[in-house]
Amino acid sequence: MNNPETSSTKATRYPAPEIKDVPEDIRAKILEVQEKAGFVPQVFLALARRPAEWRSFFAYHDALMLPESVGRTSNLTKADREMIVTTTSAANNCLYCVVAHGAILRIYEKKPLVADQVAINYRKADISPRQRAMLDFAMKVCLRSDQIEDGDFAPLHAHGLNDEDIWDIAAITAFFGLSNRMASFSNMMPNPEFYLMGRVPKQK
């Protein structure tokens, strides 16, 4: 397991704090992630330089990406959520989020090719018609949110998604638009571990 104090966990333009120097509640969360993943994703330490923003960022992240943690149910799967992040992050040219969330998408969707496909051209990806409609909407929110009309909801309703699910699609897209820009401007680089995750089946 990587030592969070010695592994490469620093954004280039803004040095990340050492894990021993962050507030105890944040340190506990970071160590929990490390225990589960085997490494500390760059974003956790990069944002910890501003603890109040870290707490707000990850509270909203968890409310959107782990709705059960705030007592909500949703028709979007974990793979759907990661697919939205990967696709819209690619549109925003965010290297960190495409690589990191693409890795999680491959694992949840159990398709080693899907992250690369949706990042390059989701219309040709091996995804369901429901996911295609979901990404059509997410991309419109990402690139032309001022042009969203009532008619844009109909294809999603036809696939069994309700208005709260559609809110999720829009909110995830908007939240990661923030994340994309923070990662890009600070020159946050993906952990090397992300690149291979989910590409090769685990040895039994």
Side-chain angles (χ1 to χ4, degrees), residues 117-183:
Q117 291 172 348
V118 298
I120 298 300
N121 187 348
Y122 74 92
R123 293 179 179 87
K124 294 186 176 182
D126 179 21
I127 60 178
S128 69
R130 172 184 169 281
Q131 289 170 328
R132 166 75 181 272
M134 175 187 76
L135 295 181
D136 282 340
F137 187 84
M139 286 296 286
K140 190 166 183 179
V141 172
C142 179
L143 301 175
R144 304 183 307 282
S145 60
D146 60 306
Q147 298 175 27
I148 294 289
E149 301 172 338
D150 290 349
D152 293 314
F153 286 58
L156 297 168
H157 290 157
H159 286 287
L161 297 171
N162 61 38
D163 286 349
E164 295 304 315
D165 301 323
I166 295 170
W167 179 291
D168 280 346
I169 296 169
I172 290 167
T173 300
F175 175 80
F176 280 93
L178 163 68
S179 183
N180 296 161
R181 286 157 178 80
M182 294 302 293

Side-chain angles (χ1 to χ4, degrees), residues 31-61:
L31 292 175
E32 182 182 332
V33 169
Q34 186 199 25
E35 180 67 25
K36 183 175 181 179
F39 64 98
V40 179
Q42 304 276 31
V43 66
F44 284 89
L45 278 177
L47 296 185
R49 62 188 304 278
R50 292 192 174 194
E53 292 174 30
W54 190 102
R55 294 184 186 101
S56 297
F57 180 93
F58 283 104
Y60 195 22
H61 171 280

Side-chain angles (χ1 to χ4, degrees), residues 1-10 16-22 26-35 38-42 44-46 191 193:
M1 181 180 292
N2 291 340
N3 183 331
E5 296 190 20
T6 59
S7 60
S8 176
T9 55
K10 293 185 178 180
E18 298 291 342
I19 193 167
K20 63 182 176 59
D21 297 327
V22 304
I26 294 176
R27 182 165 62 251
K29 292 280 189 180
I30 291 172
L31 292 175
E32 182 182 332
V33 169
Q34 186 199 25
E35 180 67 25
F39 64 98
V40 179
Q42 304 276 31
F44 284 89
L45 278 177
N191 302 67
E193 292 91 340

Side-chain angles (χ1 to χ4, degrees), residues 72-141:
R72 263 195 328 111
T73 59
S74 174
N75 291 310
L76 297 181
T77 67
K78 289 182 178 180
D80 290 338
R81 293 167 194 276
E82 297 297 340
M83 191 175 292
I84 292 165
V85 178
T86 304
T87 305
T88 59
S89 295
N92 290 327
N93 295 314
C94 180
L95 175 64
Y96 182 88
C97 291
V98 170
V99 173
H101 290 274
I104 302 169
L105 170 59
R106 288 191 294 270
I107 291 169
Y108 283 151
E109 193 74 352
K110 297 181 172 57
K111 292 181 178 179
L113 307 182
V114 69
D116 297 327
Q117 291 172 348
V118 298
I120 298 300
N121 187 348
Y122 74 92
R123 293 179 179 87
K124 294 186 176 182
D126 179 21
I127 60 178
S128 69
R130 172 184 169 281
Q131 289 170 328
R132 166 75 181 272
M134 175 187 76
L135 295 181
D136 282 340
F137 187 84
M139 286 296 286
K140 190 166 183 179
V141 172

